[in-house]
Amino acid sequence: MKRATIDLWVGIFVTMGFAAIVFLALKVGNLATLETRPSYHLDAAFDNIGGLKLRAPVKAAGVIVGRVESVRLDPKTYEAVVSLRMDNGYQFSKDTIASILTSGLLGEVYIGLEAGGDLAMIPDGGRIAKTQSAVVLEKLISQFLFDKATSGPPPAPGAPK
Amino acid sequence: MTSLASGVRRIGAGTLRAISRVGFATRFFLAVLRHTPSALRRLQLTAREIYFAGVLSLVVIMVSGLFVGMVLGLQGYDVLVKYGAGDSLGIFVGLSLVRELGPVVAGLLFASRAGSAVTAEIGLMKTTEQLSAMEMMAVDPLARIVAPRFWGGVISMPLLAALFSAMGVFGAYLVGVRLIGVDNGTFWGNMQAGIDFWPDVTNGIVKSIVFGMAVSLIAVFEGYDAHPTAEGVSAATTRTVVGGSLAILALDFVLTVFMFRGLGNG
Amino acid sequence: MPVNAIEMAGVTFGYDRARPILRGIDMTVPRGKVVAIMGGSGCGKTTMLRLIGGQLRQQSGVVRVAGQSVCDLSRDELFALRRRIGMLFQFGALFTDMTVYENVAFPIREHTDLDDALIHDLVLMKLNAVGLRGAAQLEPNELSGGMARRVALARAIALDPMLVLYDEPFAGLDPISLGVVGQLIRKLNDALGITSVVVTHDVYESLKIVDYLYFVSEGRIIAQGTPEEVRHSSDPFVRQFVDGDPDGPVPFHYPARPYMDEPTVAAR
């Protein structure tokens, strides 16, 4: 086997291998979507974050604008403080509401942002004042049952409430 | 009574032999590392081994990756669609390939394709006194023969695993999107949303590097340590495939425990 | 410069204590001579070569090559010594992944910084010396046994060694190849001014080319002499070896109990 032929094939092989790694990073993984863009941080405190996970998306009107970077418990207020890594291209007003939502019944948990009308924007490292906690299904069901118990027999299907 | 004693004695002898072999292998590994600089100074030698370990494994790795991906696409969709989660096919396929199947299956193929070839080659060189001849020419076989083959394997393995995963994703795309009709955007979009470069993809790469080192070390060691007869070389080749495969599966478990434990809620 | 290329004194060696292979070898090889070490298979001849080359280490006694005690050398010194020793292995031990040309060029490339043109000249010169310049581009598996032996010889003398060790150079060769290799050993020794040690069991060929012979049996040197002395020796072992008698001091039978004591025979 000629030296030049071996070199050529090894070159092709290594190039293909690295192309595959780049493909995995950019097309399969999410390296392209966030890591490289400049970002700023926001905090938000919730009573309950439900099943929120690290790196869960932060969406505004369905568009991903950031990711959950860390979650910790405030030892004084016993609230969950979620740190968000936000895309620099999107700024949010001071009266923005952050809520923990679930896409579909069993889908992923994410944070939804609903911008308000305030002209002042939240600065880097600032805190989102208005938050809405996760809807915990068990609580919802027990509340529903409790309501039913107190309001008498259930109405007939289709009847106006 | 005597048969019991001899049985126990046999266990003891076997254990001692295994321990001394592990010790020998460790010393061998350190010796290979010590000879690495001189081997890497002459990159041509390692390039040659990348050719034999990597380029010649290319076809089997890529074809296997494609088929594994296509099967994953079919089976995964079949299960997921029962829970109304057919859209998550991309995540399912991507994660299983990038985290597990890519490194592990590529590693198993690598052990049987390239690892056994390296063991047989070195074992045969020992049998035909080529290693001895090299020593007598004042050339250390560890530097000239073993170290380049070790590093050729270590370099080839992650590239092969990445190619396997990439081909697998492509295979799943063919089946999922082209054949079954999952939406193209949903397939890729869900995959990207669910798979992180750090740690999912990088952990897969780390795994494949570790597997490459384990299989390459076993392959060169078994070859170098082979009994210099035809039976000895064939037994050593078998040990490379069996030992390499078991090492990959065991290491995979250990690495998975360390890598993906506690990533859930932070 | 010491007069003797190799001196061995009181050398003992065994892979384990229970089975000594060499039990007190005394041997000298003068510079410029061709010396044969003869003996039956498995008597420790090859082990002696490995001790000379420093691949094994004797349990007691001294092995000196060019005046240096081999087992006292550091690794670097040993490698420096080995560059001055050529060794021809039993079946050539050519590198099967290289052409004939690359095989001969191997030691030159490894140990010198010569440019390709000069290496080319050297390699063809060495191959010409063994009559195989035309086979330079062949692969080792295309060579006959005798040709492989000659290529290995060209490789062994590639760095112009002071000493060449031959491990069974005649084993498995047809009579013509055998004669060719034998003559080459003698001619190269005289032309290049080297010292040669030939380990072999081929008495007939050795007697034609060597200056001196040592006979080894059961780890000891039991006879020695010039070819002339050996031909007229009355030593029973030497006679058995030279005449090729099946039985003699080297018994035909592997040690066993008397035949009549074997259970199946006794039962009759």
Side-chain angles (χ1 to χ4, degrees), chain B residues 35 42 48 128-130 132-140 144, chain C residues 50 53 55 75 79 82 89 93-97 106 110-111 155:
Chain B
H35 286 100
R42 295 167 56 186
R48 210 183 121 84
T128 53
E129 294 187 303
Q130 293 181 46
S132 230
M134 210 170 261
E135 255 176 46
M136 279 305 293
M137 282 184 236
V139 177
D140 195 322
R144 187 64 174 65
Chain C
R50 290 186 184 273
Q55 288 185 308
R75 195 186 136 80
F79 270 32
R82 282 182 185 170
F89 282 82
L94 294 178
F95 301 130
T96 40
D97 55 344
F106 180 85
E110 290 291 324
H111 293 308
R155 187 179 66 179

Side-chain angles (χ1 to χ4, degrees), chain B:
Chain B
M1 202 53 209
T2 45
S3 75
L4 180 69
S6 81
V8 172
R9 205 176 302 128
R10 205 170 300 145
I11 293 173
T15 312
L16 287 178
R17 209 164 35 237
I19 290 172
S20 79
R21 227 173 124 72
V22 168
F24 186 40
T26 311
R27 269 175 50 198
F28 181 80
F29 181 51
L30 295 178
V32 169
L33 290 186
R34 203 167 53 240
H35 286 100
T36 295
S38 63
L40 290 188
R41 247 199 313 279
R42 295 167 56 186
L43 220 58
Q44 190 59 37
L45 294 176
T46 308
R48 210 183 121 84
E49 299 314 322
I50 294 178
Y51 177 82
F52 284 114
V55 176
L56 296 184
S57 307
L58 208 51
V59 173
V60 66
I61 290 280
M62 289 179 70
V63 172
S64 312
L66 189 69
F67 278 112
V68 167
M70 295 201 298
V71 169
L72 269 184
L74 283 173
Q75 296 278 19
Y77 186 80
D78 188 50
V79 174
L80 288 172
V81 84
K82 284 182 187 156
Y83 299 96
D87 288 350
S88 303
L89 184 65
I91 305 183
F92 169 76
V93 168
L95 271 188
S96 25
L97 278 167
V98 166
R99 280 186 177 180
E100 287 295 334
L101 291 176
V104 170
V105 179
L108 294 177
L109 287 170
F110 181 76
S112 44
R113 167 70 186 71
S116 61
V118 165
T119 303
E121 190 191 12
I122 297 181
L124 221 59
M125 290 182 90
K126 185 179 183 185
T127 310
T128 53
E129 294 187 303
Q130 293 181 46
L131 297 184
S132 230
M134 210 170 261
E135 255 176 46
M136 279 305 293
M137 282 184 236
V139 177
D140 195 322
L142 282 179
R144 187 64 174 65
I145 299 291
V146 173
R149 278 164 180 72
F150 175 75
W151 286 107
V154 173
I155 293 168
S156 299
M157 183 56 218
L159 300 176
L160 289 173
L163 279 165
F164 185 95
S165 297
M167 287 305 287
V169 169
F170 179 66
Y173 161 82
L174 285 183
V175 167
V177 176
R178 290 298 172 86
L179 193 70
I180 299 176
V182 175
D183 179 62
N184 190 32
T186 314
F187 181 82
W188 293 109
N190 272 344
M191 185 149 60
Q192 284 173 31
I195 300 174
D196 299 328
F197 178 71
W198 184 271
D200 293 325
V201 177
T202 45
N203 277 355
I205 294 173
V206 169
K207 273 187 181 181
S208 58
I209 293 174
V210 173
F211 296 166
M213 296 185 89
V215 171
S216 301
L217 179 66
I218 290 174
V220 290
F221 175 72
E222 290 293 356
Y224 199 77
D225 191 45
H227 202 68
T229 60
E231 297 82 24
V233 173
S234 82
T237 310
T238 311
R239 277 202 302 276
T240 293
V241 177
V242 174
S245 306
L246 287 179
I248 285 174
L249 296 172
L251 280 172
D252 182 50
F253 173 71
V254 174
L255 288 175
T256 307
V257 167
F258 279 104
M259 285 172 169
F260 295 106
R261 191 183 54 181
L263 280 179
N265 253 330

Side-chain angles (χ1 to χ4, degrees), chain A:
Chain A
M1 183 65 74
K2 269 282 203 270
R3 199 163 160 157
T5 325
I6 289 182
D7 286 352
L8 176 68
W9 273 107
V10 169
I12 293 173
F13 168 61
V14 172
T15 312
M16 282 172 72
F18 276 104
I21 291 176
V22 169
F23 169 78
L24 294 179
L26 300 184
K27 189 82 183 161
V28 176
N30 56 5
L31 189 66
T33 52
L34 199 76
E35 303 283 340
T36 49
R37 305 240 198 108
S39 60
Y40 68 101
H41 285 86
L42 291 181
D43 279 352
F46 297 91
D47 292 336
N48 192 327
I49 58 166
L52 189 70
K53 294 217 164 58
L54 285 184
R55 298 198 51 83
V58 179
K59 295 182 183 177
V63 179
I64 297 179
V65 296
R67 299 240 168 218
V68 172
E69 191 160 77
S70 71
V71 177
R72 64 180 192 281
L73 185 69
D74 187 322
K76 294 199 190 81
T77 60
Y78 292 102
E79 281 179 326
V81 179
V82 179
S83 177
L84 310 176
R85 181 190 170 98
M86 303 293 295
D87 194 318
N88 248 2
Y90 306 110
Q91 303 286 329
F92 287 89
S93 60
K94 287 206 156 169
D95 57 351
T96 296
I97 302 170
S99 24
I100 293 181
L101 304 168
T102 307
S103 54
L105 198 58
L106 297 168
E108 62 173 353
V109 180
Y110 66 97
I111 292 186
L113 296 184
E114 230 171 297
D118 200 325
L119 289 179
M121 298 292 163
I122 312 176
D124 185 12
R127 176 171 284 217
I128 301 173
K130 299 182 180 176
T131 61
Q132 201 173 3
S133 285
V135 177
V136 179
L137 210 57
E138 296 91 316
K139 278 189 184 171
L140 210 64
I141 293 170
S142 63
Q143 202 170 6
F144 176 76
L145 292 176
F146 182 73
D147 286 352
K148 285 286 155 238
T150 51
S151 65
K161 201 168 181 181

